[in-house]
Amino acid sequence: MTYDATGRLLLTPVDKEGPERARRLLRLDLGRRPEAAFDLFADRLAEVAGAPFAGVNFIDGDRQFFAGLHTPDGVRPSAASRSVARDHGYCPHVVARRKALVLDDVRDYPRFAGNPVVDETGTRSYLGAPLLDDRTGLALGTVCVVDTEPRLWGRSGLATIKAMAGELMHIVRGRGDPTGKFSRAHPS
């Protein structure tokens, strides 16, 4: 957990499902390397949202890994530079909340304004939705878009990011356990 300088404001949410999520991601072979299909998905997400950055992010107990990434210059970072600490960015909040997160201007929210990505990458606005595994009930990660300028994402942005998360989960559902033998009663 990361707290602000006063020690009162929790900046990174507690993640009780991290170990279980890490096992599920391992079983699905997700979040360990970049994947062309996820890069292409991130490209399309950036185009649909009109955002300079987009990602397909899987979060285990300790870190985040962008298996799909779109950047404004089109350069795909190496696998090593796609992994970030769990306390960087806003995706861990989406996973903990299990709901989409809309930040038109991150500086308007004390909990989020001090996040390292604000200064390191110039993030000013964020829109993300969880990738919910219907077999286990876990939030495996997120799809997200980021802008370096404040953005009014609005209801259409929220609807778009949720729809894109659902679309990506159709791709993920076919991985790992095609028999469907793993269910909520027997999380993997």
Side-chain angles (χ1 to χ4, degrees):
M1 288 181 282
T2 305
Y3 291 89
D4 70 347
T6 67
R8 292 189 307 244
L9 183 62
L10 178 64
L11 299 177
T12 305
V14 174
D15 185 11
K16 294 177 184 171
E17 295 180 340
E20 185 178 359
R21 182 181 319 103
R23 287 189 297 275
R24 180 68 173 152
L25 291 171
L26 185 63
R27 174 167 271 131
L28 294 170
D29 193 28
L30 292 170
R32 299 184 324 173
R33 67 187 164 283
E35 297 192 30
F38 293 147
D39 281 337
L40 292 173
F41 190 91
D43 290 342
R44 194 162 63 82
L45 179 58
E47 182 179 337
V48 167
F53 297 93
V56 174
N57 186 13
F58 296 104
I59 302 173
D60 64 21
D62 302 313
R63 68 178 180 97
Q64 305 176 63
F65 186 82
F66 287 90
L69 198 57
H70 173 86
T71 62
D73 59 11
V75 174
R76 304 276 191 216
S78 69
S81 59
R82 289 181 184 227
S83 181
V84 297
R86 205 179 143 277
D87 63 347
H88 278 55
Y90 312 104
C91 293
H93 294 272
V94 173
V95 167
R97 293 165 30 114
R98 306 172 58 76
K99 294 192 299 188
L101 178 62
V102 179
L103 300 172
D104 295 331
D105 188 338
V106 297
R107 296 178 309 171
D108 290 343
Y109 304 88
R111 168 173 284 181
F112 301 118
N115 197 286
V117 298
V118 173
D119 293 328
E120 291 174 13
T121 65
T123 296
R124 288 289 302 280
S125 59
Y126 171 90
L127 179 62
L131 297 171
L132 299 172
D133 182 2
D134 60 358
R135 291 186 181 146
T136 63
L138 295 169
L140 301 176
T142 67
V143 292
C144 63
V145 291
V146 172
D147 204 329
T148 56
E149 299 294 328
R151 283 281 291 268
L152 294 176
W153 298 105
R155 289 180 192 246
S156 65
L158 181 60
T160 297
I161 201 74
K162 287 178 170 182
M164 296 293 284
E167 186 178 320
L168 186 67
M169 284 310 298
H170 285 294
I171 296 168
V172 170
R173 278 185 195 103
R175 298 176 73 131
D177 51 331
T179 64
K181 67 180 181 177
F182 297 102
S183 67
R184 278 182 183 267
H186 303 288
S188 52

